[in-house]
Amino acid sequence: MTTDVPTVRWGIVATGMISSWFVEDILLPEWPHKSANHIIQAIGSSSLDKCKKFANDFVTPTKPKVQPSLYGSYQEVYDDKDVDCVYIGTPHSFHKQNCLDAIKAGKNVLCEKPFTMNADEAEEVFAAAKEKGVFIMEAVWTRFFPAMQAVQKLLHEDQKIGRIIRMYCDFGLDIDIASLPDSSRYKDPALGAGSLLDIGIYSLTWGLVTLAGAVGDKAEEPEVSSTQTLSHGVDTSSSVILKYPSTGRQGICTSTTDFNRGGVSFARIEGSKGHIVVHGGTAASPSKIEFFPKEEGAKPDVWEFEKPGRGFYWEADAVAHDLKAGKVEDERMPWKETLRMMEIMDGVRKRGGAKFPVDKW
Ligand SMILES: NC(=O)c1ccc[n+]([C@@H]2O[C@H](COP(=O)([O-])OP(=O)(O)OC[C@H]3O[C@@H](n4cnc5c(N)ncnc54)[C@H](OP(=O)(O)O)[C@@H]3O)[C@@H](O)[C@H]2O)c1
């Protein structure tokens, strides 16, 4: 890579599982289509000891040129003048306040999915970002995978399957929620527990991306119907039907925490000239595409995609380019797309009953 590629100095907020995955990935030396450099400039945690352990486990082994500043609070990350962009890896219910605090300090933000607990909170955060003029994006990393880009091109540019008719996508995990402590983010409605916001969001992402053919303001609003199965107020299964009025395209987007789907095909998109099947460890992480022509006996086309680590570096590279270009939102994951997703999930929860204490309905 040449030296004129952008570099982002990240401030990591929280030291849980997702922060470790993100940091491990962006500190890898190489990945396909690498187009930016990433430095872990600062780490903030509820405890300085946890912060030191996180740095020792995930940053020190990579022998970085810059040693991160380690803080026993999140605010010190927001106030660190050497941090270009804050990455937020707390449970869903903290995203709104973490984003608002970072924005107040003038920081750019990449916030884990789901962006917030509901659409009202998302609107509040975007209003604050707009007023301050900072960049902010929901970290829907799947949208930046080369395999996702390839599916979009095959469907909407190459029109490989002809007229798009319908799709389905499923994300299933087997989590023994009953055995978890009440404080777990998988169990506590106050922390946003439930399959929908945790993994159903990926099935819905595939629905929006494959059926709408556009993002943000250019995308049509789907009609939505849905149902949920609840256990102790938390949705263990959610099933959502999307229908696009202008084309009649339909999608079924499902999630469950009661069944591990395993590393098999997770999405199928059908059209007048054939169908596409997408494979990956989960619906978050596509790695292989197959195109089956309609003609009987025709051989499928197969594309496989190399992915060292997990694949979080592609969204990080996109942020680096957005910051270099002085943008406040990303064109593949614009604010409107996050709001659309939050509104769809609000509707699913209103119909299905998975209400959070913070919801005003
Ligand atoms: N993109 C993806 O594929 C992906 C995968 C998993 C999770 N996520 C998202 O990432 C977020 C965090 O998930 P996770 O699995 O990393 O959670 P986790 O392992 O429980 O870590 C969350 C961290 O947030 C901080 N925190 C602050 N207040 C907390 C509280 N009351 N309870 C628990 N943690 C608290 C803690 O860090 P400190 O003590 O250091 O402050 C904790 O380690 C969620 O919004 C989730 O949807 C995304």
Side-chain angles (χ1 to χ4, degrees):
M1 242 180 8
T2 57
T3 50
D4 63 349
V5 298
T7 297
V8 179
R9 297 171 302 171
W10 293 92
I12 306 297
V13 160
T15 60
M17 183 183 79
I18 191 62
S19 295
S20 69
W21 289 4
F22 181 76
V23 165
E24 279 185 321
D25 256 17
I26 66 173
L27 291 178
L28 286 172
E30 270 308 323
W31 50 85
H33 316 291
K34 177 173 170 141
S35 64
N37 292 310
H38 303 283
I39 292 168
I40 306 301
Q41 186 68 39
I43 304 167
S45 170
S46 58
S47 127
L48 189 54
D49 283 345
K50 276 179 81 175
C51 198
K52 286 178 183 164
K53 182 169 184 331
F54 182 92
N56 279 337
D57 289 348
F58 303 110
V59 183
T60 313
T62 67
K63 300 189 173 55
K65 289 196 188 102
V66 176
Q67 293 301 326
S69 302
L70 305 182
Y71 300 122
S73 77
Y74 301 161
Q75 188 62 45
E76 286 167 284
V77 175
Y78 311 142
D79 292 339
D80 188 324
K81 61 176 180 23
D82 293 325
V83 167
D84 301 316
C85 189
V86 172
Y87 169 82
I88 293 173
T90 52
H92 323 341
S93 55
F94 302 98
H95 292 177
K96 180 187 102 169
Q97 195 56 50
N98 298 151
C99 285
L100 290 175
D101 291 345
I103 291 165
K104 193 172 174 197
K107 284 292 186 279
N108 303 298
V109 180
L110 175 65
C111 178
E112 262 311 325
K113 48 56 59 180
F115 190 61
T116 48
M117 296 283 271
N118 56 36
D120 286 347
E121 288 194 351
E123 275 173 13
E124 194 179 334
V125 172
F126 287 134
K130 189 173 180 188
E131 196 182 335
K132 200 77 175 177
V134 295
F135 172 90
I136 189 161
M137 184 179 97
E138 181 185 8
V140 188
W141 58 314
T142 312
R143 291 197 183 234
F144 300 89
F145 272 57
M148 167 67 96
Q149 310 288 315
V151 169
Q152 286 175 282
K153 182 171 181 300
L154 286 170
L155 291 176
H156 305 306
E157 284 179 40
D158 305 347
Q159 301 187 345
K160 195 87 174 160
I161 66 169
R163 179 174 61 84
I164 298 166
I165 299 169
R166 55 179 205 153
M167 65 79 68
Y168 95 93
C169 181
D170 180 53
F171 196 145
L173 293 178
D174 192 0
I175 303 175
D176 184 5
I177 292 173
S179 71
L180 296 172
D182 290 345
S183 59
S184 165
R185 77 170 185 84
Y186 294 106
K187 200 171 187 179
D188 185 356
L191 296 179
S195 82
L196 180 68
L197 270 68
D198 205 43
I199 52 179
I201 191 170
Y202 290 110
S203 303
L204 282 166
T205 292
W206 282 97
L208 297 185
V209 162
T210 59
L211 298 178
V215 294
D217 292 324
K218 295 191 194 111
E220 184 181 358
E221 295 299 338
E223 294 171 2
V224 185
S225 45
S226 61
T227 190
Q228 294 190 298
T229 299
L230 307 185
S231 174
H232 301 99
V234 167
D235 84 278
T236 49
S237 295
S238 287
S239 300
V240 187
I241 298 178
L242 305 174
K243 182 183 170 197
Y244 282 80
S246 72
T247 55
R249 294 173 184 176
Q250 292 188 15
I252 301 178
C253 305
T254 55
S255 58
T256 185
T257 47
D258 276 345
F259 183 80
N260 189 345
R261 190 175 171 81
V264 292
S265 64
F266 60 80
R268 174 182 167 108
I269 309 107
E270 299 168 348
S272 56
K273 293 184 180 170
H275 70 273
I276 282 174
V277 175
V278 192
H279 304 255
T282 68
S285 173
S287 55
K288 183 177 148 188
I289 306 167
E290 287 176 294
F291 165 64
F292 296 87
K294 191 176 179 182
E295 295 75 42
E296 207 163 311
K299 279 198 169 164
D301 293 334
V302 182
W303 296 268
E304 297 205 51
F305 297 84
E306 191 196 339
K307 179 175 69 69
R310 293 186 172 86
F312 288 93
Y313 28 73
W314 290 308
E315 68 176 355
D317 281 5
V319 172
H321 288 276
D322 288 336
L323 296 184
K324 189 179 178 200
K327 294 183 182 173
V328 294
E329 56 185 312
D330 181 85
E331 64 180 24
R332 275 176 277 179
M333 192 61 225
W335 298 357
K336 173 69 191 177
E337 201 69 7
T338 289
L339 283 171
R340 175 174 293 122
M341 180 65 80
M342 294 310 311
E343 281 163 7
I344 290 173
M345 295 197 300
D346 282 2
V348 173
R349 292 192 301 107
K350 279 178 191 164
R351 282 184 291 272
K355 193 172 191 291
F356 302 141
V358 73
D359 293 327
K360 294 201 176 74
W361 58 79

